[in-house]
Structures are given as C-alpha cells and as structure tokens.
Amino acid sequence: MKVAVLDFGKTNSKLFVFGQDGRILDERRTQPKWIRQDGFSVLDEAALHDWALGAVTEAVENHGAEGVMVSGHGCTFALVDDAALTHAILDYEQEPPAEIAARIDRRIPDFAETFSPRLPLGFNYGRHMLWLQDVDADAFASARSILGYPQYWSWRLGGRAVSEVSYLGCHSHLWAPRKRDFSSLVDAEGWRGRMPAFARAGAVIGERRLGGAERPIAIHNGVHDSNAALHAYRRQELGRLTVVSTGTWVVVLNPDCPLDVLDRDRDMLVNVDVDGGPVPTIRFMGGREFAAISGGWQGAIPHGSIQQAIDAGIMALPSFAPGGPMPDRPGRLVGRTPDAGERAAAALLYVALMVDLCLDLIHSQDTVIVDGGLNTGGLLAGLLAELRPGQAFLQGATLEGSATGAAALAFESVGRDFAAEAPEPVDAARFVGLAGYRDAWRDRVGRKGDAIKAAGGAR
C-alpha cells in the first residue's frame, strides 16, 4: 500500500508518496499564492487546488497510491456550503482594522478556558472568524460547515465535511481543552451547529476516482501539522518526549509540562493531540525569522561561519516576526557588520537560542526530538545538544516529520503497518564559547534570570 500526503505549509506546500516501510518514494513542491480580494489577503485556492489535484493524480498513476492524507498549518479556517467556499480563505498574517479589533476582542474567551493566548493577526483563527463575520455576515449565513484548513482540503478532494480535534484545539479560541468541548465563544456566536461531526485524524471520510486508476482512492481526514509530527514520534514508544517541530513556525511541544506554568504573554498555549489530550506548547515564527535575519540564505551554513559569529559576538536579538515568547520588540543585529555567511550563522544561532529558551520555559527535562526543515544537515540539533548537555537529543531520520506522522495516521486507520525510520541520536556540536555567547544573549534580551528559574534544573 502507498499513500499520498499533501503537506500544506504557509510558505511551501508539498506532496509526498509514502510506502509502508516509511520511505518517501516521490515528492512535489509548490508555494501557495496569497492575493488581494475585497480588502483581504486571501489564498489563491484555485491555483493550489489545481496543483494538489495534479500531484495526487500523478501519485495514483505513477505509484499506485491508494489514499490521500492532508497535513496543514494552523490558524486557518474555511466556510463552505454544499459545493464551494462561501468566502475566500483568509491569510492569517493580517490584522483586523483597529475599530473592528476593539469590538471583536471583547468577545474572546479567557485564557483559563481555552489556553489560547490573545495573539495578533489571525494567529487565533477564532479572531479572524469574528472579523469576517463582522464585515461579511452573508458569508457566515450561507455557510453550511466551518472547517479547519486540513479538513477543507480533505473535503475539497472528495471527502465529507468533518471536524478534527487537533486542528480545532490549535490555539484557535474555539476549544476548551479541560472540558474537551467547544469553547463558550462557539456557543455565544451560534457556530456549534455548523461544526460538523468529529472524525479522528486519518479516518477514511470518502473516496474518489482519479486518472486512469481502476479503483477509487481513499480520502483521509487531515491533521494539524505539528501534532502530526508529535504523533510520528509518540507512536514509536520512545518514552517521555519534547518535540521541536521546525518550519515557518518553530513549535515546541512538551506533553509533560504542567498547564499552570503556561504564560499567555510568551506565546505559550495548549495544543491538542489527535486523541484530544492537552499538549502544552510554546512557539515562535522561527523559519520566517531565520529568513529575515539571514537575508534569505539557502543551503548549508559553514561551521567556520558559526565560530566566527560566536567569536565576534554577532547576535540577532528578538523579535523579527509577530508572536513568540518576546513579542513587541524590534529585531536587530548587534556586533560588527557580518558577511553573508556570518549573517546566516547568526540567524541559525538565534533560532537555537530561542529554542533553548523555549525548552526552559516549557519545562523540558526529557529527551528532545528536533524535526523539520531548519535542521538541515543536523546543525540546529547539534547546537541544542551542546547548549543542553543534561538532555538527550534525537533528530528525525527525514526532515518531514509532519508528513510522516500524517502518513502513519492514514495507514493506521485502515489497519496497515507503517514502519517509519527511528530518529537518530544527535552528537553535540563543539563550538568554542557557545555557552558564553548564550549567556551574553540572554543578558541582552533581559530574560536570563526568568528563563533559568523556569528551567527547574533542566541543565
């Protein structure tokens, strides 16, 4: 059996064909386009659909894929009637006008109920739902179903409309993790009746015939991408884990962190796993910040440039994107003017230091798995292992933990084995002066004492 996985990221969207042995047999990539329409930035859904349908059809024709599964980024919803969108899908990177924000923000539930901090833009997609309802009530009135982003694509490809708990529970303001039910906002706004029945991530929710295939392929219910990465490793029975999932966002998930230590002002929140369990989380927009700091660097970063940046004290100080544990600060580079390699090195060091801080704040003391595109070549994981010698570090055997977890859910739902490769041990990097560089960075950002106190002896 083979499964096609569509992994819809904010910056890059990908299709992978997985075999039961966990190997990726083929892949396709594209970049979603965001366009202006009626005063909003919205997804060019038609273009992305054409690409996705073509890629899945090729997976069926060339590899005999028997199912299609979706993994999707957070913060995004879709309103649909029986056949189509009733409004274009909003780009979560836009802020409601101030006068609208003042109205809608009064209706947001308390953090103690939803464990969703009040974040800017559409980082809580319930806030964007309130905005759209305020300015285009007809789009809501004509919608039969309110879908999470992965569920939209599963529906669009031929499945039935369903809800899924890992996506609804993703800092949306729509979910109350302690009750394992919709939040008070959903009932106050009359949205519960348009939330479809739940299906577990990976469940078969339809079928569709594509290309010249003799049989239709199964359409599997989609999943939130970071929770898919968490599932990929949890299913391997590796013990107590913290997962660092990297991409446009760096999402640090520690299921063993006490809920009462979560700080709403530091982008700490509760995600929800595929079975509805609360997963304490902290995150920042690390991929976006790496690109901004590095000037769009692509490819490997020379180890020599890392050492040069450390020696010269070239540092990036937060923040270069909205949200994160230190919001409302203008990001800046300090130290002498770096060359291109040193700038990229400072960017990766920044990501490592931010993850290190996040691991303290989320009370991570057990094994850490580093996953995703920012760990190309294993350098990010090596830096973290050097910074935190008291913890064991592993890295994904591939960079595609979200897609691998999504594939596992699809295979499991039809009773098939899926033998994903085990994560690999990480050797600590060996850079002279890295610990001192970290201490100097924390002194500059003013969080050193707080972070060490929060660590609870992790190092």
Side-chain angles (χ1 to χ4, degrees):
M1 179 179 174
K2 302 178 184 69
V3 166
V5 175
L6 286 164
D7 189 13
F8 289 107
K10 183 63 163 60
T11 307
N12 296 288
S13 292
K14 299 162 277 190
L15 177 132
F16 302 100
V17 180
F18 282 88
Q20 281 186 246
D21 60 1
R23 290 189 305 120
I24 294 173
L25 306 175
D26 199 1
E27 63 182 83
R28 299 284 187 276
R29 295 175 182 263
T30 192
Q31 291 187 317
K33 296 180 177 64
W34 303 90
I35 58 177
R36 298 296 300 180
Q37 181 177 304
D38 299 328
F40 291 103
S41 174
V42 301
L43 178 69
D44 186 344
E45 186 274 349
L48 192 54
H49 171 260
D50 288 349
W51 173 84
L53 185 60
V56 173
T57 301
E58 288 181 6
V60 172
E61 293 179 338
N62 298 339
H63 298 281
E66 297 176 42
V68 59
M69 176 65 183
V70 177
S71 168
H73 65 76
C75 312
T76 304
F77 69 97
L79 303 177
V80 302
D81 57 21
D82 288 329
L85 288 164
T86 65
H87 192 280
I89 294 171
L90 298 189
D91 176 359
Y92 67 67
E93 293 186 79
Q94 55 190 324
E95 178 68 18
E99 66 276 10
I100 294 176
R103 289 198 299 271
I104 64 177
D105 286 350
R106 291 194 295 267
R107 287 136 70 183
I108 291 171
D110 189 73
F111 182 77
E113 178 190 356
T114 65
F115 288 94
S116 298
R118 295 191 178 203
L119 298 171
L121 312 178
F123 293 169
N124 309 113
Y125 74 82
R127 185 174 189 246
H128 265 197
M129 288 171 63
L130 288 169
W131 178 21
L132 183 56
Q133 182 175 256
D134 188 275
V135 300
D136 192 350
D138 289 345
F140 267 84
S142 57
R144 180 181 177 89
S145 300
I146 301 170
L147 302 178
Y149 193 52
Q151 284 62 57
Y152 170 73
W153 284 109
S154 296
W155 174 82
R156 183 76 165 87
L157 291 167
R160 69 182 186 275
V162 298
S163 296
E164 192 279 318
V165 71
S166 78
Y167 203 84
L168 274 165
C170 176
H171 52 85
S172 63
H173 291 323
L174 304 179
W175 193 252
R178 290 193 193 275
K179 293 194 305 179
R180 298 194 177 206
D181 193 9
F182 291 110
S183 73
S184 56
L185 176 66
V186 172
D187 290 322
E189 299 300 324
W191 294 337
R192 187 181 285 259
R194 278 173 284 183
M195 297 292 186
F198 281 85
R200 189 173 189 263
V204 177
I205 57 172
E207 59 181 25
R208 179 173 182 175
R209 192 180 301 276
L210 289 174
E214 295 181 2
R215 295 181 301 174
I217 65 166
I219 309 296
H220 296 267
N221 185 24
V223 64
H224 174 230
D225 52 10
S226 296
N227 274 290
L230 178 65
H231 180 75
Y233 299 117
R234 271 182 157 181
R235 66 185 292 273
Q236 297 188 48
E237 299 181 351
L238 300 168
R240 293 156 69 101
L241 298 171
T242 299
V243 173
V244 179
S245 178
T246 73
T248 301
W249 287 92
V250 173
V251 183
V252 182
L253 307 107
N254 179 17
D256 296 306
C257 176
L259 296 186
D260 60 7
V261 307
L262 299 178
D263 184 344
R264 72 187 75 188
D265 296 324
R266 289 184 173 177
D267 215 336
M268 301 180 77
L269 49 96
V270 169
N271 269 296
V272 175
D273 67 24
V274 296
D275 293 308
V279 182
T281 301
I282 184 169
R283 73 215 183 115
F284 64 101
M285 220 169 182
R288 183 67 51 78
E289 293 191 282
F290 176 85
I293 298 164
S294 70
W297 180 274
Q298 299 287 327
I301 299 171
H303 282 231
S305 294
I306 299 278
Q307 190 64 62
Q308 288 166 17
I310 293 170
D311 292 344
I314 300 167
M315 292 180 181
L317 305 179
S319 293
F320 293 81
M326 286 174 280
D328 305 321
R329 298 176 179 220
R332 61 194 178 98
L333 273 171
V334 298
R336 65 167 169 77
T337 302
D339 63 27
E342 291 168 342
R343 207 182 155 94
L348 189 67
L349 285 163
Y350 172 86
V351 173
L353 294 172
M354 288 288 284
V355 173
D356 177 48
L357 177 64
C358 288
L359 290 169
D360 282 353
L361 293 170
I362 205 73
H363 284 225
S364 175
Q365 298 184 0
D366 299 303
T367 299
V368 179
I369 295 182
V370 183
D371 176 85
L374 289 179
N375 193 42
T376 301
L379 188 50
L380 175 61
L383 285 166
L384 289 167
E386 182 177 359
L387 287 166
R388 304 178 72 86
Q391 286 181 270
F393 278 79
L394 302 172
Q395 59 190 350
T398 76
L399 298 176
E400 308 299 343
S402 297
T404 300
L409 287 161
F411 280 106
E412 291 163 4
S413 75
V414 294
R416 300 293 185 92
D417 292 332
F418 180 69
E421 294 180 73
E424 304 164 349
V426 172
D427 293 327
R430 295 183 179 180
F431 291 105
V432 176
L434 179 61
Y437 180 92
R438 185 259 312 278
D439 291 343
W441 183 86
R442 287 200 177 183
D443 282 339
R444 282 180 174 269
V445 302
R447 298 286 185 174
K448 182 178 180 183
D450 291 346
I452 291 174
K453 182 179 178 181
R459 288 196 302 274

